[in-house]
Amino acid sequence: MKDTLIHTQYSTGVSRRNIEQALIVAGKDLEHLRPEDLALLEDFHTMGRYATSQLVDLVGITATDEVLDAGSGIGGTARFVADRCHCRVTAVDLTEEYCDTARWLNQLVGLDDRISVRRADVTDLPFADATFQVAFSQHVQMNVADKASLYREARRVLVDGGRLAMWDITSGENGELVYPLPWADRPDLGHLVGSGELRAVVESSGFEIEHWNDLTDQATALMQAILALPPAPLGLHAFVTDFAQKAANLTHALADGRLRVIQGVARAVGAPQSRS
């Protein structure tokens, strides 16, 4: 997706202000904020913190690993990994507003010494070959038409044997989608493909699939439970416009099979394609 379309989809100009207000209303002390205080509002993907925790456990990370969070949003995954695994994380996102908000939150919870934030395109990463041991890509490829470039770049910046951790929405069956959705307010802002096609692109980009789990049923049940909860100050609605409607449309599409959710881990194999 072009920069201007990404800006249209995600930038509101008030992300930091709204998050700060939500934290205050929830009774959080911004001078003594802990990473776990942000858990309810920072994971902008299906199943939230639960999905992030599962994926971190599945991929396996050591304190010496250099980790890339490619398409990091406001930095929830980067902070969780840095705090839990005691490693260094580089967070990349195309939305400057999200990058600024991530830096602010990293500083508030005392993780800015472990996390660096860069504004960059995930299909053209500003890093040397073989820089990272682990790369996360969660709910990013739905906005990327050129998926081959996305995964070739992930392979290029990973060491041989490095791991790509994925948590992604794919298209399913049974009809047209209803918009808005969390990643697209209208059809032309999204680039969904089926699970099989997505897996094939990953494999053809220099990866060997180790895990490819369809967690649609689990995601549907959890999302339905979340939608049934009473409103609370902390949540993605603090910075995502029309989040309640987007989440409802997503949950209905998961429930009837129009969308699927895939958890994957792929290992970098063979020689990466160096960028000219």
Side-chain angles (χ1 to χ4, degrees):
M1 189 187 291
K2 295 180 180 179
D3 286 20
T4 53
L5 294 181
I6 286 286
H7 181 83
T8 298
Q9 179 62 38
Y10 294 111
S11 294
T12 64
V14 292
S15 294
R16 173 172 171 170
R17 187 191 72 187
N18 287 357
I19 290 171
E20 184 172 22
Q21 183 62 31
L23 289 167
I24 293 170
V25 171
K28 304 298 182 181
D29 180 358
L30 299 189
E31 297 298 320
H32 300 89
L33 204 65
R34 301 169 300 174
E36 56 266 30
D37 291 329
L38 302 175
L40 293 177
L41 62 73
E42 65 181 358
D43 292 291
F44 190 8
H45 47 255
T46 310
M47 293 175 66
R49 177 53 50 85
Y50 184 74
T52 303
S53 179
Q54 276 194 330
L55 191 57
V56 169
D57 288 343
L58 189 64
V59 72
I61 300 171
T62 70
T64 60
D65 283 335
E66 290 284 342
V67 178
L68 172 67
D69 184 9
S72 54
I74 65 167
T77 296
R79 282 186 291 276
F80 182 77
V81 171
D83 183 52
R84 180 168 173 175
C85 304
H86 307 288
C87 61
R88 292 192 57 81
V89 183
T90 299
V92 167
D93 202 271
L94 193 57
T95 304
E96 185 63 50
E97 181 178 331
Y98 281 5
C99 291
D100 289 341
T101 302
R103 294 185 189 101
W104 168 65
L105 290 171
N106 294 344
Q107 186 173 23
L108 280 183
V109 299
L111 290 173
D112 49 318
D113 60 334
R114 295 187 201 168
I115 304 170
S116 63
V117 181
R118 295 277 299 271
R119 181 185 181 274
D121 185 339
V122 292
T123 67
D124 187 20
L125 293 167
F127 308 113
D129 297 358
T131 298
F132 303 99
Q133 282 73 44
V134 179
F136 280 83
S137 181
Q138 298 193 92
H139 284 32
V140 174
Q141 58 81 28
M142 301 102 73
N143 286 135
V144 179
D146 187 1
K147 299 186 195 306
S149 290
L150 169 66
Y151 297 116
R152 280 199 300 265
E153 275 293 270
R155 173 62 189 95
R156 183 184 65 78
V157 301
L158 282 170
V159 300
D160 191 27
R163 292 92 72 204
L164 172 65
M166 302 172 59
W167 176 238
D168 272 307
I169 298 286
T170 68
S171 58
E173 300 175 348
N174 303 326
E176 298 294 323
L177 295 172
V178 175
Y179 293 84
L181 290 162
W183 63 92
D185 288 345
R186 57 182 196 263
D188 64 305
L189 298 179
H191 301 281
L192 287 171
V193 296
S195 172
E197 183 178 347
L198 183 63
R199 177 170 180 156
V201 175
V202 174
E203 290 177 322
S204 67
S205 301
F207 290 98
E208 181 179 278
I209 302 296
E210 294 189 340
H211 301 276
W212 196 262
N213 305 318
D214 188 317
L215 300 185
T216 305
D217 290 344
Q218 297 93 316
T220 301
L222 183 56
M223 291 296 292
Q224 288 172 335
I226 291 172
L227 290 177
L229 294 173
L234 295 183
L236 291 169
H237 58 272
F239 70 96
V240 180
T241 304
D242 298 326
F243 179 73
Q245 186 60 59
K246 292 174 178 178
N249 289 342
L250 168 62
T251 303
H252 295 328
L254 291 171
D256 65 21
R258 286 173 291 157
L259 293 174
R260 312 296 299 178
V261 189
I262 301 297
Q263 176 198 69
V265 174
R267 189 168 294 273
V269 296
Q273 299 179 17
S274 295
R275 191 170 54 198
S276 57

